[in-house]
Every structure is written in C-alpha cells, then in structure tokens.
C-alpha cells in the first residue's frame, strides 16, 4: 500500500502507482493529490485493518506528514514503534550507542536550551531538533561565543516553519546536541526485504561549501560513489537489522564517513525515501531504477548491468533554496530557463510554490566527469542570477 500526503507527490510517483496498480489509502489528502487519476483505492478502515493483521504489510509513504496517520491507525503494530525509534534522533542514538562508545550526544528540551551550561562542552558541535526535517533549525556551533547567537537563530527558524509541517515532522519540544563529525556526508535509500535482508537503491554524496554549511543544495551519485560505499553500508545495515527486526521496511539514511572510513549515522528516516520525491526520482532519472516499484515488488538493482551504460556520469539533485532570504512578496519569478542553460544535460526540473514553501524548486541533472565545475558553480551560487525581483512603485 502507499500512503500519500502533502507537501508534494511527483508525477513519476503517480505514474508508478497507476502503471503498477498499487493500492493507495483513500485519505482526503491522497484523493486531492491524485485528483482525476485512475487510482486503486483502499479505504482507511480496510488499510488500518490490514496493518493490524499483518505487521509485514508493505507500506510506503511519500511524506513524513503521514506519520500521524500511521500512529493513529496502526497502534499495537511495529510501525509506530519503528517510526518513533528512527525519527527521534535521541532514541536512535540510544539504540546504537554501544557501537559508538566515544560519541557525545545529549537530548535537551527546547525550553531548557537557554539555561543549559555549555561552557564545558567540546566544540565544534551540532544542534538540531530531535525530530526534524529539511535542515530546519540545524546549526554547527564552532565555539562558546556562538552559542547565544545560534539559539536566537533556532527560535526564529522554529517560529517561521512550525506552521508548515505537523509536529510529528518537525518537533520543537526537544533538541539533540552532538559532536561534530569531520568527514564526508552521504545519503542513501534502502529497504529491508521480507527476509530482513537489506537492499540498497542508491547512494548520494551530500556536498557542502564548507564545514559550516548545513544546507541541502547538492547531492550527487555515480558509479564510483556507489561502488566505494556499497559493502560498508551493507555491513552497517546488517548491524541495524540485528538490533531491530526490520522486514518490508523502507528507509532514507544520512551518514558521515570519517577519515578512517568509519561510518557514523546522522539520522534514519522511516517508511520513505528522500523527501519531496527527490532521491527516488533521481534514481529513476539517472539509473532507470524505480525505487517505489523495487520496494513494493521486492526487486534488487543489478548494479553491474546498470553501470555498463552509465560510465563516467554523475547524477545530481540540486535544491533551489533561498540563501539570500527573499520574502515571497519580493520575488516576481525564478528564471528556470536560464538555469537549465547553465547545465550540460538537465534531466528534470521541479517547480515549487515559493510563497508557500520557501524554495524555488529542484533540478535533476546529468554531468560528465570532467565537467564537475557546473556542480561546483551551483553549489556556491546565491541564485541571485536566476531571481527576478518585483519592481516597487515609487
């Protein structure tokens, strides 16, 4: 079954649902998002009954907004327990702490941040919501002198975004403070099959401008990236599987790899792949792997065959965010055509309502090795060249 919710469902996901005749839970949100499409519906009552009668029922959600539906309708099953375990970063750290005995982390209620004595903490550190999404209220603090300024930024972020996402998606009652891990950051989509074996669907390098950068601007995948991390990540997933009995369960995971090659998890997002239909759609555009169908049909990628036709190619997801902090009323338009001209082989552009979500869209693109400068350029861009500012009357 598929559980659809806002903020976004891609055309590709809807096409996948129709072509494969996948069941969709008939929530009001799902009906609105797929209006006019020939969907095979299952009532909310029947879907809830299926989940309670079969804990290994295949369920995919496109959005963390749907977490509240699972928690309400699947009480007494594995689903709410797994969601809570993985979604809450403090609880997940507790799960794996014996594998990382020297790793510092601390859960703190939001209201306790101002009175917290951090003078003895080892900097740099990361502070973020224990339950969070989309790099909202995530900050790297390099020293004690930045602490008060960071708390002020967090208060502003929470105030600005709390109306956009349900509390299950962006919880602002608890925060986690943890040590900063030096190394490269990666994100990957995977699932545990009916036998509890992990299946990796893609691996992406999350590229940053600097150590201070916590944005989501560029994620890139390639044969080199996947082959270098495939077995270490399989070992990591098998360890997770020993701690939690995961079957027919999809995950989107973010990790860091330190200078010694050790994998340290950042967060694990349950029951979905990358938010906003991003990483799963990129996997299709780049590698021809339909992650949604692979999970629901229990399929595994044949990476050797896939790479034969995609040598020396890099597939990237670019978030067109708002680094200059434009207000919706200031922006007349975003020049997507100009953006596309700046890339070798754009695969797909996704336009988002800036006035509602605060980002302009997403770009999916293919880059030949040797032409990485186009990715470096967009990584450092403030996007001003593509934003048309509304003229104000004198």
């Amino acid at each position: 079954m598929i559980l659809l919710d806002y903020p976004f469902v891609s055309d590709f996901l809807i096409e996948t649902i129709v072509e494969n005749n996948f069941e969709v839970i008939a929530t009001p949100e799902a009906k609105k998002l797929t209006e006019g499409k020939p969907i095979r519906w299952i009532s909310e009552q029947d879907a809830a009954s299926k989940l309670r009668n079969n804990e290994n029922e295949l369920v995919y959600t496109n959005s963390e907004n749907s977490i509240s539906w699972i928690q309400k309708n699947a009480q007494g099953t594995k689903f709410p327990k797994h969601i809570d375990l993985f979604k809450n970063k403090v609880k997940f750290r507790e799960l794996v702490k014996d594998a990382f005995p020297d790793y510092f982390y601390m859960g703190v209620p939001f209201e306790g941040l101002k009175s917290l004595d951090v003078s003895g903490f080892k900097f740099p550190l990361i502070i973020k919501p224990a339950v969070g999404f989309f790099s909202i209220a995530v900050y790297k603090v390099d020293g004690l002198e930045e602490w008060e300024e960071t708390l002020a930024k967090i208060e502003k972020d929470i105030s600005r975004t709390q109306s956009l996402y349900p509390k299950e998606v962006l919880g602002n009652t608890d925060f986690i403070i943890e040590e900063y891990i030096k190394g490269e950051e990666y994100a990957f989509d995977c699932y545990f099959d009916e036998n509890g074996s992990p299946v990796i669907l893609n691996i992406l390098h999350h590229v940053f401008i600097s150590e201070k950068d916590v944005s989501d601007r560029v994620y890139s995948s390639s044969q080199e990236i996947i082959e270098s991390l495939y077995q270490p990540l399989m070992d990591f997933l098998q360890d997770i599987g020993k701690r939690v009995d995961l079957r027919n369960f999809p995950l989107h995971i973010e990790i860091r790899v330190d200078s010694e090659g050790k994998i340290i998890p950042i967060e694990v997002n349950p029951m979905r792949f990358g938010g906003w239909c991003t990483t799963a759609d990129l996997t299709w555009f780049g590698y021809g792997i339909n992650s949604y169908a692979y999970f629901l049909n229990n399929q595994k990628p044949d990476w050797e065959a896939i790479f034969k036709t995609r040598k020396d190619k890099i597939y990237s997801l670019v978030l067109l965010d708002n680094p200059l902090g434009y207000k919706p009323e200031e922006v007349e338009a975003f020049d997507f055509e100009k953006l596309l001209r700046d890339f070798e082989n754009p695969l797909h552009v996704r336009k988002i309502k800036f006035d509602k979500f605060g980002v302009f869209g997403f770009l999916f693109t293919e880059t030949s090795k040797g032409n990485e400068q186009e990715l470096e350029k967009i990584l450092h861009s403030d996007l001003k060249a593509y934003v048309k500012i509304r003229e104000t009357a004198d």
Side-chain angles (χ1 to χ4, degrees), residues 9-211:
V9 179
S10 70
D11 290 342
F12 176 65
L13 175 52
I14 293 176
E15 290 167 5
T16 297
I17 290 168
V18 173
E19 290 175 6
N20 290 272
N21 202 29
F22 290 139
E23 279 186 331
V24 177
I25 301 172
T27 63
E29 294 82 5
K31 289 185 175 181
K32 185 68 176 177
L33 286 162
T34 60
E35 202 167 12
K37 303 295 183 180
I39 303 295
R40 181 162 72 101
W41 297 107
I42 179 172
S43 71
E44 293 186 71
Q45 182 178 359
D46 288 346
S49 179
K50 284 182 73 171
L51 292 180
R52 289 192 293 266
N53 291 330
N54 179 14
E55 283 204 341
N56 290 320
E57 180 69 36
L58 287 153
V59 184
Y60 178 80
T61 67
N62 72 301
S63 168
E64 294 198 355
N65 289 16
S66 60
I67 286 174
S68 58
W69 190 96
I70 295 289
Q71 291 177 328
K72 176 183 176 181
N73 291 278
Q75 284 297 321
T77 72
K78 69 177 183 183
F79 294 102
K81 292 183 291 185
H82 287 353
I83 287 172
D84 188 46
L85 175 63
F86 290 125
K87 187 61 185 162
N88 188 301
K89 297 175 179 64
V90 177
K91 291 183 178 180
F92 177 70
R93 287 283 173 220
E94 289 292 315
L95 175 70
V96 299
K97 66 180 180 180
D98 65 301
F100 307 94
D102 300 324
Y103 186 85
F104 167 75
Y105 69 94
M106 179 182 187
V108 184
F110 177 59
E111 61 272 15
L113 288 174
K114 283 189 174 181
S115 60
L116 182 67
D117 182 5
V118 297
S119 59
F121 285 13
K122 181 181 178 181
F123 291 87
L125 52 80
I126 296 289
I127 180 170
K128 55 189 173 183
V131 179
F133 180 61
F134 223 27
S135 293
I136 296 169
V138 178
Y139 288 97
K140 178 173 180 271
V141 188
D142 284 318
L144 184 60
E145 68 280 359
E146 296 182 4
W147 181 251
E148 294 296 330
E149 178 187 355
T150 301
L151 294 187
K153 291 178 180 178
I154 288 172
E155 286 189 346
K156 184 177 180 181
D157 288 346
I158 294 298
S159 175
R160 176 176 55 86
T161 59
Q162 62 186 355
S163 63
L164 297 179
Y165 302 99
K167 66 180 186 300
E168 292 86 0
V169 174
L170 182 62
N172 57 16
T173 55
D174 291 292
F175 272 69
I176 183 171
I177 299 170
E178 54 189 348
E179 70 176 77
Y180 175 75
I181 309 159
K182 287 192 174 183
E184 296 300 311
E185 185 166 312
Y186 297 86
F188 66 102
D189 294 329
C190 63
Y191 72 89
F192 284 78
D193 67 16
E194 58 191 357
N195 299 314
S197 299
V199 176
I200 293 175
L201 297 167
N202 197 0
I203 305 170
L204 302 100
H205 184 194
H206 185 182
V207 189
F208 295 103
I209 295 174
S210 66
E211 286 191 354

Side-chain angles (χ1 to χ4, degrees), residues 226-251:
I226 292 173
E227 289 184 339
S228 65
L229 280 172
Y230 183 84
Q231 193 54 53
L233 289 181
M234 286 293 287
D235 295 341
F236 166 76
L237 290 172
Q238 286 163 355
D239 180 66
I240 295 293
K242 291 176 182 177
R243 299 167 188 270
V244 187
D245 183 20
L246 296 172
R247 297 174 188 273
N248 291 341
F249 203 80
L251 296 166

Side-chain angles (χ1 to χ4, degrees), residues 243-353:
R243 299 167 188 270
V244 187
D245 183 20
L246 296 172
R247 297 174 188 273
N248 291 341
F249 203 80
L251 296 166
H252 175 74
I253 302 177
E254 297 174 13
I255 62 160
R256 281 219 172 199
V257 181
D258 68 16
S259 58
E260 298 177 354
K262 186 176 183 180
I263 291 172
I264 302 173
I266 299 173
E267 62 181 61
V268 180
N269 298 283
M271 298 191 68
R272 67 169 176 88
F273 303 135
W276 288 74
C277 296
T278 49
T279 56
D281 284 18
L282 177 66
T283 304
W284 170 254
F285 295 136
Y287 298 120
I289 295 170
N290 188 328
S291 296
Y292 312 111
Y294 269 47
F295 165 59
L296 292 167
N297 292 328
N298 201 37
Q299 296 173 271
K300 300 179 181 181
D302 182 347
W303 289 112
E304 185 176 349
I306 290 166
F307 291 145
K308 285 180 180 178
T309 60
R310 291 164 175 83
K311 289 188 179 297
D312 298 325
K313 298 296 183 182
I314 302 167
Y315 298 99
S316 299
L317 165 67
V318 179
L319 169 63
L320 305 170
D321 53 359
N322 184 23
L324 294 180
Y326 293 113
K327 296 178 181 178
E329 60 270 21
E330 295 177 315
V331 177
E332 181 174 326
F334 187 92
D335 194 340
F336 288 98
E337 292 303 316
K338 183 177 181 180
L339 174 79
L340 295 178
R341 289 195 296 270
D342 287 341
F343 286 85
E344 171 189 345
N345 187 22
L347 302 173
H348 181 74
V349 67
R350 177 173 296 162
K351 301 176 183 179
I352 301 296
K353 292 182 178 179

